[in-house]
Amino acid sequence: MHEWTVYRLGDISDSCLGKMLDKKKNKGEFQPYLSNKCVRWGSFDFEYLSEMKFEEHESKRYGLIYGDLIICEGGEPGRCAIWKDEVPNMKIQKALHRLRVHNEFSNEFLYYRFLLAGRTKGLDKYFIGSTIKHLTGVSLKGIEFSFPYFNEQKAIAKVLSDLDAKITLNNRINQELEAMAKLIYDYWFVQFDFPISAEQAAAMGRPDLKGKPYKSSGGKMVYNEQLKRAIPEGWEDGTLNDFGEIIGGSTPSKAEEKNFSNKGTPWITPKDLSINSGKKYITKGEVDVSAIGLKSASLKIMPPGTVLMSSRAPVGYLAIAREKVTTNQGFKSFVPNKGYSTEYIFHTLMRAMSLIEANASGSTFREVSTSVLRNLNWSKPTIEFVENYTKIISPLFNKQDILEQENQKLSELRDWLLPMLMNGQVKVSETGFSGLEDGQDFNMAAEPSEKYGEQ
């Protein structure tokens, strides 16, 4: 680590703990604040954003400016992200530290320092508490990290932040694609405003209506007694069982190590879908099951394109299998072997989830059984109709799959580079890295999108 110097954070930054939430004592105007739950590694989750009273003179102490590092005091102490003015007039609550670095130190470099230390338990020695760990203000100031010169800090941080920026961009594109896919599904199968076909337009005596929205343009709707609502002419009442074969899973005995393997059949659990949150596709879980395990637990191998749905703890996680998989007993998976596409089944289950959850039972862990799921009523379009829908929607799903796989490669690359850059094993230059072993050359002159294909 040539020419790197160790500094205490208290010597290179100013830090402050957030304001205590006290509804009786707090005065001023209601303003938004970040809590511990809002801070993820490298980003913020505004779903948990709330407000409390702040007085005008408290803005300087508890307010945020662009570039502040926001660090968790408890929960997962040290977890942090850089504030980039995502929400105006933001403050912080007592569960968070705000750290503002001095000149000649890079906030992005420091973020990646924390990220590596968090992964390698390098922060643990600074925590207090035997059961619940905390990172106090005093401990935060006492944390020691090594830093190279400022320009090298910026160069290292740029390598890593460029990769993260590409991942963020891909995630944003995928969110937009998902919003588009949901909108199309709702138009076709909820509002029944799918494009009128030439045959339908002719039957209506209005050839000019071809391509117009069905229901809004006077398409015939027929009341269905079973569904208790009107559906397009030619559709039927059905159940979720009509759309695919519903298959459960099981767990081989964990007392027998031979039931599991590093290179067997991917075995998915609800926990795997929780970790996979935000992604539509999944390739494998934390462990695979061996051929012996498959046989011992009578597991069924399901094909790529199977829609996996967690049926307990909790009900409602969804993902599409990218490869052949099997699952534990916490699933009711839909194999698309009845003429209805993966894409249609995925969004139908998403749309039906409130109905599915309402029919779950159990006092400790709510669960939906296979028999209940098979008999839940749902409108049933013709297979030919869904085929036309799938032709439109499948390119969106394919694009999402490509971007998710690219992000996996980018994440692996970032995680491979992070420790080597932070311990000075490699140095950054305009043409690439120095210090890599043979066969590890990586040209940073190309952007990540060039390495993995412009999407």
Side-chain angles (χ1 to χ4, degrees):
M1 198 176 294
H2 182 58
E3 297 179 339
W4 287 39
T5 305
V6 175
Y7 292 95
R8 294 172 66 254
L9 294 191
D11 296 331
I12 66 166
S13 65
D14 299 312
S15 58
C16 171
L17 193 63
K19 183 178 179 178
M20 181 179 292
L21 178 59
D22 190 328
K23 294 181 179 180
K24 294 182 179 179
K25 294 183 179 180
N26 291 346
K27 299 178 181 180
E29 299 294 327
F30 280 103
Q31 296 178 30
Y33 70 89
L34 297 173
S35 64
N36 187 289
K37 292 190 293 185
C38 296
V39 181
R40 318 309 325 152
W41 280 110
S43 64
F44 297 94
D45 185 348
F46 297 112
E47 178 184 352
Y48 301 102
L49 202 61
S50 189
E51 292 187 343
M52 67 172 161
K53 291 182 178 180
F54 288 88
E55 298 181 72
E56 186 175 346
H57 68 86
E58 293 177 314
S59 293
K60 184 176 181 180
R61 179 173 179 83
Y62 302 119
L64 304 181
I65 64 173
Y66 191 98
D68 284 345
L69 196 61
I70 312 303
I71 305 169
C72 291
E73 185 268 348
E76 184 185 355
R79 187 176 69 225
C80 60
I82 298 173
W83 182 250
K84 297 181 179 178
D85 289 344
E86 290 90 340
V87 177
N89 203 31
M90 186 61 67
K91 307 293 190 299
I92 55 170
Q93 189 231 7
K94 191 179 179 182
L96 298 173
H97 298 283
R98 183 207 66 210
L99 189 145
R100 196 169 290 167
V101 298
H102 298 165
N103 294 335
E104 302 306 316
F105 291 91
S106 163
N107 60 346
E108 287 191 331
F109 180 87
L110 185 54
Y111 161 72
Y112 288 109
R113 264 290 180 204
F114 267 97
L115 180 61
L116 179 60
R119 291 180 176 181
T120 59
K121 300 189 180 300
L123 296 174
D124 288 12
K125 62 184 177 182
Y126 297 101
F127 301 156
I128 65 167
S130 56
T131 305
I132 302 176
K133 305 296 183 181
H134 292 276
L135 177 63
T136 67
V138 172
S139 296
L140 177 65
K141 292 177 181 179
I143 292 175
E144 293 184 337
F145 287 138
S146 0
F147 294 82
Y149 291 126
F150 184 51
N151 286 342
E152 190 172 351
Q153 291 178 40
K154 292 193 295 183
I156 290 171
K158 187 177 188 306
V159 170
L160 299 169
S161 63
D162 281 353
L163 292 170
D164 276 333
K166 177 57 177 169
I167 293 170
T168 300
L169 175 61
N170 285 350
N171 285 335
R172 187 162 63 247
I173 293 171
N174 261 352
Q175 289 168 4
E176 292 169 355
L177 290 171
E178 185 60 19
M180 190 183 307
K182 288 179 181 177
L183 185 63
I184 294 172
Y185 181 91
D186 283 351
Y187 271 129
W188 283 52
F189 301 102
V190 180
Q191 301 177 37
F192 306 123
D193 268 337
F194 48 83
I196 296 175
S197 67
E199 293 78 8
Q200 288 170 326
M204 295 166 67
R206 292 284 308 276
D208 59 302
L209 291 180
K210 177 185 175 182
K212 300 294 184 181
Y214 182 83
K215 185 177 179 181
S216 299
S217 301
K220 187 175 180 180
M221 302 290 291
V222 179
Y223 186 79
N224 184 280
E225 285 291 342
Q226 185 69 27
L227 298 173
K228 305 300 181 186
R229 64 189 178 104
I231 57 177
E233 185 179 34
W235 291 28
E236 301 175 352
D237 57 84
T239 67
L240 293 183
N241 191 54
D242 292 324
F243 304 132
E245 182 184 0
I246 302 175
I247 294 177
S250 62
T251 299
S253 172
K254 293 186 177 180
E256 297 291 337
E257 292 185 7
K258 60 185 178 182
N259 285 335
F260 298 92
S261 166
N262 291 328
K263 293 184 179 181
T265 300
W267 181 68
I268 313 296
T269 69
K271 179 183 176 183
D272 295 321
L273 292 200
S274 175
I275 295 171
N276 199 59
S277 177
K279 302 181 181 69
K280 177 170 280 185
Y281 291 85
I282 190 167
T283 303
K284 62 179 302 177
E286 288 185 325
V287 297
D288 289 355
V289 66
S290 67
I292 295 173
L294 284 170
K295 185 176 181 179
S296 70
S298 300
L299 284 164
K300 291 185 178 180
I301 298 177
M302 296 171 288
T306 297
V307 181
L308 310 178
M309 187 194 80
S310 63
S311 56
R312 71 176 190 181
V315 174
Y317 285 150
L318 291 174
I320 298 171
R322 192 177 277 121
E323 305 289 345
K324 292 179 180 179
V325 302
T326 188
T327 72
N328 78 350
Q329 63 275 16
F331 283 85
K332 302 294 182 288
S333 301
F334 285 70
V335 178
N337 57 6
K338 297 183 179 181
Y340 291 89
S341 67
T342 294
E343 293 84 354
Y344 173 74
I345 294 172
F346 182 87
H347 273 132
T348 295
L349 290 177
M350 185 179 291
R351 185 73 191 185
M353 198 55 66
S354 58
L355 175 64
I356 294 170
E357 290 174 340
N359 282 273
S361 60
S363 55
T364 306
F365 294 107
R366 291 181 63 77
E367 180 176 9
V368 60
S369 68
T370 302
S371 60
V372 166
L373 199 59
R374 284 174 176 163
N375 289 290
L376 290 180
N377 293 321
W378 204 256
S379 59
K380 183 181 175 183
T382 65
I383 290 175
E384 293 74 20
F385 182 86
V386 172
E387 286 175 347
N388 291 332
Y389 161 78
T390 303
K391 288 177 184 177
I392 294 172
I393 210 73
S394 62
L396 301 183
F397 277 60
N398 291 338
K399 180 69 171 179
Q400 288 178 297
D401 187 18
I402 290 169
L403 290 175
E404 287 184 9
Q405 291 186 74
E406 179 181 322
N407 273 2
Q408 180 64 33
K409 293 177 181 178
L410 291 170
S411 297
E412 290 171 356
L413 175 59
R414 178 203 57 207
D415 294 345
W416 175 68
L417 287 171
L418 178 63
M420 294 193 296
L421 288 169
M422 287 297 165
N423 64 22
Q425 183 179 345
V426 296
K427 298 190 70 173
V428 184
S429 68
E430 293 182 0
T431 57
F433 294 133
S434 59
L436 288 174
E437 297 177 2
D438 291 343
Q440 291 183 315
D441 186 35
F442 182 79
N443 181 14
M444 285 307 297
E447 291 298 319
S449 58
E450 294 177 60
K451 300 180 193 70
Y452 293 103
E454 186 67 46
Q455 300 300 328

